[in-house]
Amino acid sequence: KHDAIAPNSGLSSSGILLLQPDFQTLNLLPSVFGKNQAAVFGTLVDPATGEPSDLCPRETLRHSVAKAQADGYCFTVGVEVEFQILPVDGGHTHNENWAQSGRLTEHADFLGDLEDVLRLQEIEIEMIHAEAATGQIEAVLHYTDPLAIADRVMVFRESLQAVARKHNISATMAPKISELTAGSGMHMHFGITDPSGQSLLGGDTDSKYGLSQ
C-alpha cells in the first residue's frame, strides 16, 4: 500500500516494457529445477523505440562497463553471498559462533547439492563458512566481470531456492528476518586496472600491506 511512483521520474501508472532475451546467457538448468528447463537473462526494451529502457538495471551496468573499457579501465568483482537456512517444520538448526563447523556438518548434504548444481551452471564457490546468525552461511563466488557476477548472483539465488525445496528446508537471502539476530548482506570486492594494466586498488609499495590510499 506504500508503493508510489518516484517523483520527477517521468513514469506513469500505465505502459509496459518488453523483455528481450540475451541468448548468449541461455542456460540449460540442472534437473533440480525440473525436466527440460532453461533460463535466459534479458534486456528491458521500450516498445515505442525498440531501444533498451533507461529503467533496465542490466543494460545500465552493461553500458557503464563498456564506457569504462572504452577509456581503458577494466573492472572485476567478487562477492560474498550470505543466506540463512530455516527448517520448514520449525525444527532446530545450529546456533553457533562465526566460522564454526557444526552448521556445515548439519547441512552438508544440502550444501554439497548446492555446490554441484552451481558447478553445472559454471559457477565456482571459492569458500563457504558459517556466519554469525542462526542457520546463517556465507558463500564466496569467484571474481569475474561486473555483468557476469550480477548474473551469477541471480543464478545463485534461484539455485539456492531450488535445492532448498529438494531438501525440505527454507533458505533466504533476506536482509533481516529477525530483530534478534544478525542480518544477511553481500560484500563485494572490486578490482580496477588503468589503461597501463596497473591496479588502482593495490600495489602501493609506500603503504603498509601494499594497499592503496
Side-chain angles (χ1 to χ4, degrees), residues 18-23 40-45 50 52 58:
L18 303 179
L19 185 62
Q20 184 179 74
D22 177 358
F23 286 111
V40 65
F41 289 98
T43 301
L44 292 173
V45 174
R58 196 167 181 273

Side-chain angles (χ1 to χ4, degrees), residues 25-188:
T25 68
L26 182 63
N27 179 34
L28 299 179
L29 296 175
S31 59
V32 70
F33 289 93
K35 293 182 179 180
N36 303 320
Q37 299 294 311
V40 65
F41 289 98
T43 301
L44 292 173
V45 174
D46 186 337
T49 64
E51 297 296 324
S53 168
D54 292 339
L55 300 176
C56 179
R58 196 167 181 273
E59 183 61 24
T60 298
L61 178 58
R62 189 204 310 273
H63 176 76
S64 298
V65 170
K67 185 176 180 180
Q69 289 177 338
D71 291 333
Y73 294 90
C74 180
F75 288 79
T76 56
V77 185
V79 298
E80 303 174 8
V81 184
E82 294 178 347
F83 60 94
Q84 284 183 263
I85 298 173
L86 306 169
V88 295
D89 60 1
H92 173 73
T93 188
H94 273 72
N95 183 15
E96 296 182 326
N97 292 330
W98 178 88
Q100 291 191 345
S101 61
R103 195 172 305 149
L104 303 184
T105 302
E106 178 185 10
H107 297 294
D109 290 343
F110 164 75
L111 295 173
D113 281 353
L114 177 60
E115 184 176 14
D116 289 344
V117 166
L118 291 170
R119 187 181 295 113
L120 288 171
Q121 299 173 89
E122 301 183 351
I123 295 178
E124 176 187 352
I125 294 182
E126 286 194 330
M127 181 177 67
I128 194 164
H129 66 81
E131 269 290 349
T134 301
Q136 189 178 47
I137 290 174
E138 176 181 283
V140 180
L141 304 188
H142 188 69
Y143 68 88
T144 183
D145 69 87
L147 185 60
I149 200 68
D151 289 348
R152 290 179 184 184
V153 169
M154 297 302 296
V155 172
F156 181 93
R157 185 175 70 175
E158 296 296 317
S159 299
L160 178 70
Q161 297 296 328
V163 178
R165 286 191 295 270
K166 173 186 174 183
H167 286 263
N168 195 35
I169 60 176
S170 176
T172 178
M173 293 168 60
K176 192 79 169 175
I177 65 170
S178 170
E179 62 183 9
L180 302 177
T181 65
S184 293
M186 187 178 72
H187 291 123
M188 295 185 290

